[in-house]
Amino acid sequence: MRPTVLDPLFAPVSTLPGVGPKIAKILSGLVASHPEREASVADLLFHLPHSLIDRRHKPGIAYSENGDIVTLDITVGNHQAAPRNSKAPYKITGYDDTGEITFVFFHPRRDWLEKMFPVGARRIVSGKVEWFNERPQMVHPDYVVPPEEADSLPTIEPIYPLTAGLASKTLQKALTAALAKVPTLPEWLDAAHQRQNHWPDFAESLQTLHRPQEKQDLNPEAPAYQRLAYDELLASQLALALVRAKMRQLGGISRAPEGLLQRTVIEALPFKLTESQSRSIGEINEDLAKPLRMLRLLQGDVGSGKTVVALASLAQVIETGAQGALMAPTEILARQHFASMSSLCEKAGIRLALMTGKDSAKLRRETQEKLLAGEIDLVVGTHALFQGSVEFRDLGLVVVDEQHRFGVHQRLALSSKGRGVDVLVMTATPIPRTLVLTSFGDMEVSRLTDKPAGRKPITTVSASLDRLEEIIGRVGNAIHSGQKVYWICPLVEESEKIDLAAVEDRHRVLEHALGQPVSLVHGRMTADEKDAGMQAFKSGATRVLVATTVIEVGVDVPDATIIVIEHAERFGLAQLHQLRGRVGRGDKPSTCVLLFKGPLGETASARLNIMRQTNDGFLIAEEDLKLRGGGEILGTRQSGMPGFRIANAEAHADLMEAARDDARLILEKDPDLRTERGSALRCLLYLFGRDEAIGLLRAG
């Protein structure tokens, strides 16, 4: 049950004065934590300002700098109305002791302006000054009041992210009402830690951020901001720690066979394991041998050989008589894993099966019967594997590939498919340490840092789209010399129709220019059409594949040596690196061409530079975090940390470490959150939407 003290914060925004159904809907679109529900008062309060306007600056007309927001005490001069049917603006002059200024209005209501600016009267006017032909002007001032109402002018005004249909004043009014509803909450922070950091309490922190007095109040390093960021991070880390404790409580099974099957798989490989592959397999074997559930994240850069580590780990569990499952995010990937594992499994005597959403009912039933009878040792598939009716005789290890959005609660759901199921999650997106803590804080981490022997580095170059014909000519030469080429076009959801047309257009242009068939793969095709396009490219029936980013993850064509990424400036760093990893998988030198449309902005330019300088995915991930915040790295929002509204990856990385340590200590001392601080921490979990974790407490 949610503590009643939180009720005012969980009231819908429509209960605030001045927020009718229409505004409530717009506000919910902007701030709601659950898209299908109306936003709560807490959702609104966690929507923080990003900057402020200081209207205390009163330099006088002549001393107002271009672009500054100023407040002026002026006397109204004359009005210059635009001629009828003219599009010229309406102008009003004003002056003070230092000089003269023009106020400019487009589409004016003359009667209203004459009332606001009576000729010869004094007015306090605030807005942005712009110098034009060495004369100052102010287009549509923000505030105009008579001197006796000067106090009504907000001197400091916080600026919030807004959305269409929502005026800044409407949002400010709703926030004033929301702040008045903040109750006195029990303190969940450790008193010594709070004193040491000079952090205010929760209500005071909200008050400071929504009613800032100085610019530095909104700095992510300021005490009030840090306090709220820490609250959010602590809620997240406490939830992850509870999941971990629950997984451990459920108990695991010690799986420590002699390792014969694992050795057979490794010896059947056509290459020698890298040092980090051997180390990771060792770490996983140690986990499997303990009577606790394994929950491990295997991070490896593109092409670092994660699948081999996964198969070796699955072999270890299969040797004990249990079954393994490997889950991939797409059908293309599932089929690819199945194909790449088939010969190794055959040599090692592992009975392998594939299960996807495309299977006929008959085939699915047969696979299901074999799984239950224990006639299948390892099944590869998509999410279909874990939905509802699929049952195993004795599931021991689940490997989840490339599923960034595979959350904590799905991890718990997997456990229900067997006794003491161990879980290995793999990702080819190198994730900076901070984000590993935010999203996988309940997991141990293994990292693959070296590339398999024989892999050649990829040369990366960038070129303007003006050189398109030259690039197409070079692609033609490359395919005549027997090479294969990926050509990637961007796909942005807002303009999907235009982008799809662009992909299809590029496909036609290349077929015409190269004088041979070219494969095409994009998200709007059926699975069969995509498969056919990929197969033609893999087999060599076509030598060029035009695609959107559907080929980003895991598609393996070892003899592809060139990738052209069109409009590279529209991609995030992590995505560019993932795409580049489609080439350089064989023993031939490979090239990545980043085609951009100039002029480039600062961030896009920095991205392309980093891509040219390094092939190291971990370094790229850290740089990506600096350039755009962590959202994009895990394939979620464009900035900030995934799933966080206040905490910021760069500014609050050290707080994340502290929150994780704090969460572990709390659960050691008070595993059921029964103490006074424990019940305050339950409030915190509810407040930041981590209440599912409360259900994991023994006491409920």
Side-chain angles (χ1 to χ4, degrees):
M1 285 289 289
R2 186 174 68 219
T4 51
V5 68
L6 294 174
D7 288 352
L9 295 172
F10 280 87
V13 283
S14 54
T15 59
L16 296 171
V19 179
K22 188 181 170 196
I23 296 295
K25 193 176 176 192
I26 294 171
L27 276 176
S28 297
L30 181 65
V31 307
S33 48
H34 294 282
E36 64 287 349
R37 271 189 242 156
E38 186 182 321
S40 67
V41 170
D43 287 332
L44 183 59
L45 289 166
F46 292 149
H47 185 66
L48 299 181
H50 54 74
S51 56
L52 56 80
I53 291 173
D54 187 345
R55 297 193 189 278
R56 293 174 298 190
H57 185 41
K58 300 173 181 174
I61 292 170
Y63 305 109
S64 299
E65 300 272 343
N66 185 40
D68 273 6
I69 299 228
V70 299
T71 300
L72 302 172
D73 185 340
I74 60 108
T75 302
V76 180
N78 62 345
H79 285 235
Q80 299 165 17
R84 274 189 180 285
N85 300 326
S86 152
K87 288 193 176 168
Y90 189 104
K91 294 180 178 179
I92 301 168
T93 55
Y95 57 89
D96 65 9
D97 298 343
T98 70
E100 192 177 273
I101 188 167
T102 307
F103 301 107
V104 179
F105 296 88
F106 293 92
H107 314 297
R109 266 186 41 218
R110 184 171 179 165
D111 56 340
W112 181 79
L113 287 174
E114 284 169 350
K115 191 174 154 197
M116 291 296 285
F117 289 92
V119 175
R122 258 180 76 207
R123 284 292 179 261
I124 309 295
V125 185
S126 188
K128 187 178 182 179
V129 172
E130 288 165 316
W131 285 75
F132 188 65
N133 289 340
E134 297 185 10
R135 293 173 64 84
Q137 63 176 30
M138 193 182 282
V139 179
H140 290 272
D142 301 329
Y143 293 94
V144 182
V145 294
E148 60 273 18
E149 289 175 31
D151 289 350
S152 69
L153 211 85
T155 47
I156 304 276
E157 202 175 339
I159 305 298
Y160 294 86
L162 291 171
T163 186
L166 182 65
S168 176
K169 285 177 185 166
T170 310
L171 179 62
Q172 300 262 13
K173 193 178 164 194
L175 274 158
T176 302
L179 282 168
K181 284 194 159 214
V182 179
T184 305
L185 296 174
E187 184 52 79
W188 45 74
L189 293 187
D190 172 70
H193 187 217
Q194 189 181 359
R195 269 198 311 277
Q196 187 189 343
N197 287 295
H198 308 292
W199 285 345
D201 68 21
F202 176 76
E204 195 186 327
S205 301
L206 280 174
Q207 195 70 36
T208 303
L209 286 168
H210 289 293
R211 296 286 172 266
Q213 292 310 300
E214 301 294 341
K215 241 192 178 90
Q216 52 263 40
D217 286 344
L218 297 181
N219 185 329
E221 267 98 27
Y225 208 126
Q226 286 221 321
R227 155 78 210 229
L228 292 180
Y230 188 77
D231 287 344
E232 186 173 32
L233 294 170
L234 181 59
S236 154
Q237 291 302 306
L238 194 54
L240 285 168
L242 283 164
V243 169
R244 188 175 188 94
K246 177 72 172 174
M247 292 292 268
R248 289 191 177 278
Q249 250 176 48
L250 291 170
I253 294 169
S254 167
R255 307 181 203 273
E258 285 179 43
L260 297 173
L261 196 57
Q262 191 175 73
R263 278 200 294 281
T264 310
V265 167
I266 292 168
E267 281 160 12
L269 292 169
F271 50 80
K272 199 168 163 290
L273 290 179
T274 66
E275 203 176 302
S276 52
Q277 279 176 322
S278 299
R279 186 179 59 245
S280 297
I281 291 170
E283 287 167 350
I284 292 164
N285 286 349
E286 271 178 42
D287 279 2
L288 292 173
K290 292 174 189 163
L292 298 170
R293 290 184 172 225
M294 174 172 80
L295 200 48
R296 188 171 278 276
L297 173 68
L298 177 65
Q299 270 190 282
D301 202 351
V302 182
S304 58
K306 291 178 298 301
T307 314
V308 169
V309 174
L311 187 56
S313 310
L314 287 158
Q316 190 76 342
V317 169
I318 290 164
E319 191 179 331
T320 66
Q323 292 164 302
L326 188 143
M327 180 164 93
T330 65
E331 217 149 285
I332 287 184
L333 256 181
R335 289 179 184 285
Q336 192 170 291
H337 277 309
F338 179 73
S340 67
M341 287 179 169
S342 290
S343 67
L344 286 171
C345 285
E346 206 173 307
K347 285 175 188 162
I350 294 171
R351 296 166 298 179
L352 179 68
L354 176 70
M355 197 181 232
T356 73
K358 261 173 49 179
D359 297 346
S360 65
K362 180 172 180 272
L363 180 61
R364 197 177 169 82
R365 196 173 56 250
E366 283 169 7
T367 310
Q368 170 63 77
E369 282 165 6
K370 286 182 180 173
L371 274 176
L372 260 179
E375 291 164 19
I376 291 172
D377 300 315
L378 172 56
V379 61
V380 176
T382 53
H383 279 63
L385 281 179
F386 296 101
Q387 279 154 358
S389 59
V390 181
E391 286 180 66
F392 296 79
R393 187 179 65 84
D394 179 14
L395 180 61
L397 172 62
V398 174
V399 179
V400 184
D401 183 30
E402 268 311 340
Q403 193 49 29
H404 313 316
R405 296 178 196 80
F406 178 75
V408 165
H409 302 290
Q410 286 100 315
R411 287 176 216 157
L412 284 171
L414 290 186
S415 321
S416 65
K417 292 283 180 185
R419 286 179 316 115
V421 180
D422 292 303
V423 178
L424 178 68
V425 176
M426 305 196 294
T427 175
T429 308
I431 308 169
R433 179 170 165 67
T434 318
L435 293 180
V436 168
L437 290 179
T438 66
S439 301
F440 303 101
D442 55 335
M443 295 188 169
E444 302 302 330
V445 181
S446 294
R447 289 176 98 168
L448 299 180
T449 47
D450 34 22
K451 292 270 200 300
R455 290 268 168 102
K456 297 271 193 297
I458 303 163
T459 307
T460 303
V461 295
S462 57
S464 164
L465 267 164
D466 301 340
R467 293 170 56 194
L468 185 64
E469 280 185 27
E470 179 194 334
I471 302 290
I472 292 176
R474 290 192 176 194
V475 165
N477 295 339
I479 59 177
H480 287 308
S481 71
Q483 297 185 61
K484 282 187 188 172
V485 181
Y486 288 106
W487 191 295
I488 307 302
C489 299
L491 191 55
V492 176
E493 279 156 26
E494 293 89 79
S495 56
E496 195 168 10
K497 283 195 174 73
I498 305 166
D499 283 333
L500 274 178
V503 175
E504 285 162 351
D505 190 39
R506 179 62 65 236
H507 175 244
R508 274 194 300 276
V509 167
L510 286 172
E511 277 203 328
H512 178 72
L514 301 170
Q516 55 176 275
V518 167
S519 284
L520 174 66
V521 174
H522 60 69
R524 285 289 176 91
M525 293 176 148
T526 65
D528 286 341
E529 287 169 335
K530 281 189 229 170
D531 275 355
M534 281 303 309
Q535 252 351 94
F537 183 58
K538 264 186 144 168
S539 68
T542 59
R543 306 210 71 81
V544 178
L545 170 68
V546 174
T548 56
T549 52
V550 286
I551 67 115
E552 180 184 336
V553 171
V555 172
D556 198 13
V557 182
D559 55 347
T561 53
I562 296 173
I563 184 163
V564 178
I565 303 172
E566 203 170 323
H567 282 292
E569 77 281 358
R570 283 168 62 176
F571 292 96
L573 251 182
Q575 205 176 19
L576 286 173
H577 180 63
Q578 284 283 336
L579 287 165
R580 175 169 64 184
R582 298 307 103 220
V583 296
R585 296 180 152 249
D587 51 6
K588 293 190 175 69
S590 293
T591 307
C592 169
V593 182
L594 304 172
L595 280 182
F596 64 85
K597 186 175 186 346
L600 284 178
E602 201 178 324
T603 306
S605 182
R607 264 189 225 135
L608 300 191
N609 277 335
I610 293 161
M611 288 294 293
R612 285 198 301 265
Q613 286 159 11
T614 181
N615 276 297
D616 180 340
F618 288 101
L619 186 67
I620 283 171
E622 298 290 351
E623 290 299 324
D624 201 15
L625 191 60
K626 285 180 199 159
L627 284 177
R628 66 192 295 167
E632 174 68 12
I633 293 175
L634 290 174
T636 52
R637 299 200 316 262
Q638 288 294 311
S639 62
M641 282 206 249
F644 291 92
R645 288 187 281 178
I646 299 166
N648 165 312
E650 265 183 281
H652 304 130
D654 54 335
L655 295 183
M656 171 63 74
E657 303 259 358
R660 187 180 63 160
D661 296 343
D662 197 0
R664 285 188 171 171
L665 205 60
I666 288 162
L667 291 190
E668 271 171 33
K669 289 183 178 170
D670 182 15
D672 297 326
L673 301 184
R674 289 190 179 286
T675 61
E676 192 180 337
R677 186 183 178 199
S679 67
L681 284 160
R682 287 177 181 238
C683 280
L684 173 73
L685 288 168
Y686 275 109
L687 197 51
F688 284 97
R690 310 284 175 173
D691 34 304
E692 284 162 309
I694 292 173
L696 302 178
L697 291 165
R698 276 193 289 260

